[in-house]
Amino acid sequence: SRGLRGVRMFTGDKAAGMVGSIAEVFPEAAYQRCTVHFYRNVLARVPKARRPRVAAMLKAIHAMESREAAEAKALEVASELEKSKLREAAMVVRDGYAETLTYTRFPREHWRRIRTNNAIERLNREIRRRTRVVGTFPDGRSALMLVTARLKYVAESSWGSRRYLDVTLLDE
């Protein structure tokens, strides 16, 4: 109803409602699990002292040149985690790595930007920071005006005018 057409991929944090809604409303669109959220889910099952090493192993999965190489690396990482007696973390890697590799279906030039939802989260943090400064709003309209003003500023600033994706690469 908002005019979205030709949506090919969504990137998110695997919220059950969102994933279900995407499949229902945009059945042809692929779902990309945010790699940062995936890393957090794995690292939550790793003792604090071992997290830097495991984080480096996880990043190696998404540094691969192809989907096949990334899949092989993910299985290797899961095996290594099991050998290190980190079975829960290994299980999360085995169960979730495939949905973090959806970005590999798109042009390589976009991979770094579309495998996470960091841009959206950055914008949400910016809005949250601005609204917290105000504290309480007299009504919903004033809150909406502040958020809209911030979004307008971002759209007109260098942050908003930087080309995020070269969409001509997506034409088939």
Side-chain angles (χ1 to χ4, degrees):
S1 67
R2 291 189 335 208
L4 291 175
R5 284 181 295 287
V7 177
R8 297 180 48 195
M9 187 179 85
F10 287 89
T11 303
D13 61 0
K14 199 176 178 181
M18 183 184 79
V19 174
S21 297
I22 290 168
E24 187 177 316
V25 179
F26 297 100
E28 282 92 43
Y31 175 72
Q32 163 68 35
R33 183 173 180 190
C34 175
T35 55
V36 174
H37 286 92
F38 173 68
Y39 297 164
R40 287 180 192 157
N41 292 149
V42 174
L43 294 174
R45 290 159 177 82
V46 174
K48 201 171 193 171
R50 296 168 79 181
R51 286 182 186 164
R53 182 173 173 270
V54 173
M57 292 165 63
L58 293 172
K59 288 178 183 172
I61 295 169
H62 298 97
M64 296 288 116
E65 295 293 317
S66 68
R67 182 182 182 95
E68 295 77 22
E71 288 175 345
K73 186 66 173 178
L75 295 174
E76 180 185 319
V77 166
S79 295
E80 229 176 293
L81 290 172
E82 284 175 345
K83 288 177 192 170
S84 300
K85 301 206 183 334
L86 297 170
R87 287 185 180 83
E88 283 186 44
M91 191 168 64
V92 173
V93 171
R94 282 191 201 283
D95 293 344
Y97 78 87
E99 62 193 358
T100 68
L101 298 175
T102 306
Y103 69 92
T104 59
R105 298 182 196 166
F106 297 89
R108 173 175 293 286
E109 293 83 4
H110 297 316
W111 284 13
R112 189 175 58 83
R113 290 194 168 111
I114 64 174
R115 69 180 179 208
T116 71
N117 61 354
N118 289 348
I120 296 165
E121 289 190 356
R122 178 181 173 198
L123 184 57
N124 287 341
R125 276 194 314 272
E126 178 73 15
I127 291 169
R128 193 175 311 121
R129 184 175 70 84
R130 298 289 175 155
T131 55
R132 282 188 179 154
V133 168
V134 174
T136 58
F137 292 92
D139 59 14
R141 280 187 44 120
S142 57
L144 184 60
M145 285 174 51
L146 175 69
V147 171
T148 305
R150 193 66 200 154
L151 292 173
K152 185 174 186 288
Y153 171 77
V154 166
E156 293 172 350
S157 70
S158 61
W159 180 31
S161 64
R162 271 189 310 199
R163 174 170 244 133
Y164 186 69
L165 296 176
D166 181 5
V167 292
T168 61
L169 296 170
L170 299 174
D171 292 336
E172 289 181 41

